[in-house]
Amino acid sequence: MGNRLAGKTIALTGPRKAEDMVKIVGKMGGAALVRPAQGTVFLDDEKVRGDLADWIGSPPDWTILTTGMGLDALFAVSAEMGAEEDFLDALRRSSLAARGYKTVNALRKRGLEALVRDDDGSTSGLIRGLAEYPLRDAEVVLQLHGDPAPKLEAWLAEQGAKVRKVLPYRHTPPEPEQLERLLGDILTGAVDAAAFTSAPQIRNLAEYARRQGKLEALIAAFEGPVVAAAVGKLTAQALREEGIARVVYPSGDERMGSMLVELARYFQTQDA
C-alpha cells in the first residue's frame, strides 16, 4: 500500500474492526488512534418480538426498510418465533421502499422487490422516490438500524403518515472519556483526520461537543486542519447534517479500506 498516509495521524471512531483498520493505516505509512465514538450494538430481542407480532397482526400500507442487516435480523427473529412465513406474507401485502443496495439484495433473496428505492444510496434519495406517492393517513412501518433517522421521520410526519418504528438493534452510548479525547484531538489538531463508519458516531460526537459549548469549534476544525472521512454516502450525509461540509468518502463500495484509500488520495492531492 506504500506510504500514502505517511506523516498523517488518523482518529478511528468505529469500535468494529478497529485493530484491522490500525494495521491498514500502518501499512499505508500513517499512525492511527482508536477513539470509539459509539458503544456496543446489540439485538433487542424482546422488543423486536413484540414489534414483529404487531407487524404480522396488522400489516402496514407501506414498509420502509433502511438496512439489509436489520432486515436479516428481523427474519432471524421471526424464524425463532416460528413466524417467518407470516412475516414474509406481511411484507408481500405491503408496498416496499428500500434504502441501499444491501437492503434491496436482502429483499431479492427472499423473492421480494422494492416498489421504491433511493437513487443514490442516501436518505434524501429515498425521500425523492417516496415523494411520488400519497402517504397521508397511510400506515407505515419504518425499519431502522439502531438509531433514529430524523430527516426521514420528519418528512414522513409532514406527509401525514402514521409511522411505527422498528429498531432491531440498539446502540449503547460510548464512554464520555472517549468522546472527550476524540474532541480534544480534533480541536487541538493532534490528528489530521477523523474516520467515521456510522451515523451514530457522528451524532454522539456532535452532541457531546454541543453540551460542552464546542460544536462551532468542532465544525471549524473540520473546515480547517482536520479532515472528516466517511465510509459511505449515508455517513457522509450525517456529517453534513451536523454542519460539516467537507467530507471525504469513496464513491464506490462502502468499505473501511476504500475510505482510507480515498483519504490518502485526498491528502496526496492537497500536498501536491
Short mmCIF file of all heavy atoms in Angstrom, two decimals, residues 14 96 103:
data_model
loop_
_atom_site.label_atom_id
_atom_site.label_comp_id
_atom_site.label_asym_id
_atom_site.label_seq_id
_atom_site.Cartn_x
_atom_site.Cartn_y
_atom_site.Cartn_z
N GLY A 14 -14.81 4.12 14.95
CA GLY A 14 -15.67 2.94 14.98
C GLY A 14 -15.10 1.84 15.85
O GLY A 14 -13.90 1.56 15.77
N LEU A 96 -43.29 -1.77 -0.62
CA LEU A 96 -41.96 -1.79 -0.04
C LEU A 96 -41.10 -0.66 -0.57
O LEU A 96 -41.06 -0.41 -1.78
CB LEU A 96 -41.28 -3.13 -0.32
CG LEU A 96 -42.00 -4.39 0.18
CD1 LEU A 96 -41.23 -5.63 -0.25
CD2 LEU A 96 -42.16 -4.36 1.69
N THR A 103 -29.95 -3.56 1.28
CA THR A 103 -31.36 -3.77 1.64
C THR A 103 -32.12 -4.37 0.47
O THR A 103 -32.92 -5.30 0.63
CB THR A 103 -32.00 -2.44 2.08
OG1 THR A 103 -31.17 -1.82 3.05
CG2 THR A 103 -33.37 -2.69 2.68
#
